[in-house]
Amino acid sequence: MKALSLILSMIYLSLCVVSCNSKERFNELKNRQFSIDDFFQKVASVELITSDEDIIYIDYEFDSDNKTINLLSSREKEPDFFMLHSEEEINKRVFDNSYEVFCNSEGDSTDNWVKTCDGKSSCSDVIYNCLKQIGCAKICRLKMAYAPQSRSFYLLN
């Protein structure tokens, strides 16, 4: 019984350490400027341990002249919007190593779009095209959500 108790304690401690480390690594991105390529790669590569329902909300500044992003803050919480992803869609993206970018522009919902991309250069191009469509003239403070479970970026205006 003591051995079982010790094993369960070790497993719990290991989960706590892994969970804290993933959040700390994400927090290391705060207040640093990244090119869009680097920002996408950093966010997509951080192994986040979230609940099945939670996503990561990111507040950031976009500098349209230099094409850089500065991560201001992040928080994990339930989505404020409804996400439709079938398990088959998600498995296909994970297997293909692809991502989905949802662009929510300032106009009516007819200007919104979704595109699939497959890595650093194609995804950063899609993200940049969305940011241009949103109409950032110089430095804009914007919001983004990242759902690691479905490998989806939601650019919110």
Side-chain angles (χ1 to χ4, degrees):
M1 191 65 169
K2 250 185 177 177
L4 178 61
S5 176
L6 180 63
I7 290 171
L8 290 175
S9 296
M10 294 297 283
I11 291 172
Y12 176 75
L13 182 61
S14 298
L15 288 174
C16 288
V17 169
V18 169
S19 176
C20 291
N21 283 342
S22 67
K23 288 182 182 177
E24 284 174 20
R25 284 183 287 182
F26 197 77
N27 286 334
E28 289 173 5
L29 304 178
K30 286 183 185 173
N31 298 315
R32 292 179 44 204
Q33 287 213 300
F34 297 98
S35 68
I36 296 172
D37 286 346
D38 290 342
F39 181 79
F40 165 77
Q41 186 158 356
K42 298 275 187 196
V43 171
S45 68
V46 172
E47 300 222 4
L48 299 169
I49 298 171
T50 61
S51 76
D52 287 343
E53 294 88 29
D54 288 355
I55 61 176
I56 307 300
Y57 282 88
I58 300 168
D59 293 326
Y60 65 98
E61 284 181 341
F62 173 63
D63 182 338
S64 62
D65 289 343
N66 298 316
K67 297 180 184 176
T68 58
I69 292 177
N70 180 17
L71 189 144
L72 302 172
S73 66
S74 64
R75 65 198 171 288
E76 176 184 337
K77 68 176 198 163
E78 287 185 18
D80 292 337
F81 50 90
F82 192 64
M83 298 186 302
L84 289 174
H85 291 102
S86 70
E87 197 169 326
E88 184 178 314
E89 276 182 284
I90 294 170
N91 289 336
K92 184 178 185 299
R93 271 199 303 281
V94 170
F95 180 73
D96 291 345
N97 199 26
S98 63
Y99 297 84
E100 220 167 35
V101 175
F102 294 79
C103 185
N104 182 9
S105 64
E106 195 170 348
D108 61 21
S109 61
T110 60
D111 294 335
N112 298 344
W113 47 262
V114 179
K115 292 189 180 172
T116 303
C117 52
D118 62 2
K120 183 177 170 181
S121 63
S122 70
C123 290
S124 60
D125 288 345
V126 172
I127 290 170
Y128 178 69
N129 289 334
C130 179
L131 292 171
K132 279 192 334 190
Q133 180 179 329
I134 288 173
C136 181
K138 176 88 175 130
I139 296 178
C140 300
R141 198 171 179 155
L142 301 166
K143 294 184 183 301
M144 173 188 307
Y146 176 59
Q149 309 88 332
S150 63
R151 299 169 61 104
S152 301
F153 286 86
Y154 299 85
L155 281 77
L156 312 167
N157 193 12

